[in-house]
């Protein structure tokens, strides 16, 4: 299958998650394009879509939100979509807030699921404003990404695609 993996990242942590998802899907024989959301125009020709975003102050990055809105009318009901957020870093921010934009996107493009993955925080990469925000939030510096969990999630997607290809597609729930 031809799959689009797209993720909005500011400091690169989420982009690397997208790369790992893409690599895992390729291992199952899929043709996978990785594109930044701002560069995604038409999604015609894709058999499945994975869209992710870093979370800042409880919001998805604008590029991911806009992509979900842009492709809303184009996503056919039989094209499965999965979403992910890269966010929590220790006590940083509101991990639950991560889901607000993702929930909206879930409904817009009838995603089959949304997964939150822990992210990365290196103070040396941040702007002064960002440093002030994470100080208040008492974020834990470090790379909190869970690579086995990311690969497992992508493997679950590959398995679901295999079931669909074998004719076992289940209808998407109306409430996303
Ligand atoms: C200023 C700032 C605000 C953040 N706000 C949140 C937040 O509200 N919720 C959350 O789960 N993570 C939050 N984070 C953590 C980021 O989502 C995490 O660092 C993520 O891995 C960044 O991804 P990126 O490198 O792709 O930009 C915040 C990080 C920074 C620097």
């Amino acid at each position: 299958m031809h799959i689009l993996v797209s993720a909005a990242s500011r400091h690169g942590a989420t982009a690397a998650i997208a790369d790992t998802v893409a690599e895992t899907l390729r291992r199952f024989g899929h043709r996978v394009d990785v594109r930044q959301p701002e560069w995604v125009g038409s999604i015609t020709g894709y058999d499945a879509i994975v869209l992710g975003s870093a979370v800042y102050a409880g919001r998805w990055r604008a590029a991911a939100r806009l992509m979900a809105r842009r492709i809303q009318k184009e996503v056919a009901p039989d094209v499965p979509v999965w979403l992910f957020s890269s966010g929590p870093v220790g006590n940083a921010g509101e991990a639950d807030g991560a889901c607000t934009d993702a929930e909206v996107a879930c409904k817009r493009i009838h995603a089959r699921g949304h997964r939150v993955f822990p992210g990365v925080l290196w103070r040396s990469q941040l702007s002064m404003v960002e440093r002030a925000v994470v100080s208040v939030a008492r974020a834990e510096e470090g790379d909190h990404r869970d690579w086995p969990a990311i690969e497992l999630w992508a493997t679950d997607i590959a398995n679901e695609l295999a079931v669909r290809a074998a004719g076992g597609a289940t209808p998407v729930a109306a409430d996303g």
Side-chain angles (χ1 to χ4, degrees):
M1 289 188 184
H2 193 190
I3 303 172
L4 172 66
V5 175
S6 186
S9 178
R10 187 187 291 171
H11 293 294
T14 314
I17 293 174
D19 286 340
T20 296
V21 169
E23 264 317 304
T24 305
L25 292 170
R26 284 187 191 115
R27 283 207 292 275
F28 285 85
H30 297 293
R31 185 153 63 96
V32 186
D33 295 337
V34 180
R35 301 257 184 280
Q36 292 177 27
E38 48 271 60
W39 295 110
V40 175
S42 171
I43 50 152
T44 303
Y46 287 111
D47 302 301
I49 295 167
V50 178
L51 172 61
S53 179
V55 178
Y56 285 90
R59 305 290 318 262
W60 261 22
R61 301 218 69 209
R65 283 185 265 140
L66 289 172
M67 177 176 148
R69 196 184 303 168
R70 220 169 38 244
I71 67 174
Q72 179 175 5
K73 290 207 173 75
E74 216 187 331
V75 186
D78 61 340
V79 172
V81 178
W82 287 269
L83 307 180
F84 72 90
S85 299
S86 138
V89 280
N91 295 320
E94 303 130 26
D96 289 346
C99 297
T100 310
D101 288 327
E103 273 174 17
V104 172
C106 263
K107 292 203 170 90
R108 273 191 202 288
I109 50 181
H110 45 81
R112 305 190 72 78
H114 167 239
R115 181 69 183 266
V116 178
F117 294 114
V120 174
L121 186 77
W122 298 118
R123 283 190 168 74
S124 59
Q125 291 185 338
L126 305 181
S127 68
M128 278 174 57
V129 173
E130 286 179 321
R131 262 182 244 183
V133 170
V134 296
S135 300
V136 171
R138 293 195 306 280
E140 283 175 35
E141 187 161 50
D143 186 344
H144 305 275
R145 287 172 295 184
D146 183 344
W147 297 112
I150 293 162
E151 284 183 32
L152 192 61
W153 185 68
T155 299
D156 286 345
I157 291 175
N159 287 337
E160 196 170 330
L161 290 173
V163 170
R164 294 172 68 88
T170 48
V172 178
D175 63 0

